[in-house]
Amino acid sequence: HLRAKEEHEVTRVVQVKQLIDHLKKVNPKRCFVCGDFNAPPESSSGSALGAEGQAEEGGGVLPLASLLTKDTAEALTYTTWKIRPKGEVKRVIDYIWYTGATLRPLSVLGVPTAETVPKCRFPHAGYPSDHLAVVAEFGVS
């Protein structure tokens, strides 16, 4: 769980860099990094584990592949949808990153359609979190 709120992007970038440093030390053959990054995919912290963020560093397990691709965009249109004092917020801020060389996504659980989400959005009595679980089945190569 990275630091929340838009004004903390610099802190999130530092947190991701710490994670990258740890992954470089451990250098696992297979790796999943899953969680609430509190940042959209186009942000520095939301893309730092991928090829764009690792273009110069790379090596070992890095860069990781993101479950968020053009192939999954239709299934993962949002991971949080809530009503805040400043308005309604619907966006992707939760991720699954994985070693693309040794793992491949086989299927992805889609998010509820807009017609099935209550007007209060998330959380609600039927789903007590303001984040949706990002769920995928992977194959090992």
Side-chain angles (χ1 to χ4, degrees):
H1 185 276
L2 301 186
R3 183 85 190 255
K5 303 207 186 299
E6 289 180 29
E7 63 266 20
H8 296 296
E9 176 63 5
V10 171
T11 301
R12 284 192 297 277
V13 169
V14 169
Q15 290 174 313
V16 172
K17 286 186 186 231
Q18 290 170 336
L19 175 59
I20 289 169
D21 289 345
H22 178 73
L23 288 173
K24 285 180 179 179
K25 286 179 193 169
V26 177
N27 197 21
K29 183 176 180 180
R30 291 184 189 93
C31 175
F32 288 100
V33 175
C34 311
D36 174 2
F37 277 50
N38 274 310
E42 63 276 3
S43 69
S44 296
S45 58
S47 64
L49 290 171
E52 300 82 16
Q54 293 297 309
E56 295 175 17
E57 299 184 39
V61 71
L62 298 167
L64 296 176
S66 174
L67 187 63
L68 292 172
T69 66
K70 62 178 172 31
D71 296 329
T72 61
E74 200 171 297
L76 296 172
T77 54
Y78 66 96
T79 62
T80 185
W81 190 359
K82 50 195 153 201
I83 308 290
R84 293 290 190 224
K86 292 182 181 179
E88 197 165 319
V89 178
K90 180 182 182 184
R91 61 190 184 149
V92 172
I93 59 173
D94 303 278
Y95 301 87
I96 295 178
W97 294 91
Y98 61 95
T99 47
T102 58
L103 298 165
R104 66 188 183 295
L106 302 174
S107 62
V108 178
L109 181 65
V111 296
T113 62
E115 300 79 39
T116 63
V117 177
K119 291 191 187 304
C120 65
R121 306 305 182 213
F122 296 99
H124 57 78
Y127 198 92
S129 176
D130 63 337
H131 294 261
L132 297 173
V134 179
V135 180
E137 179 182 10
F138 283 82
V140 179
S141 49

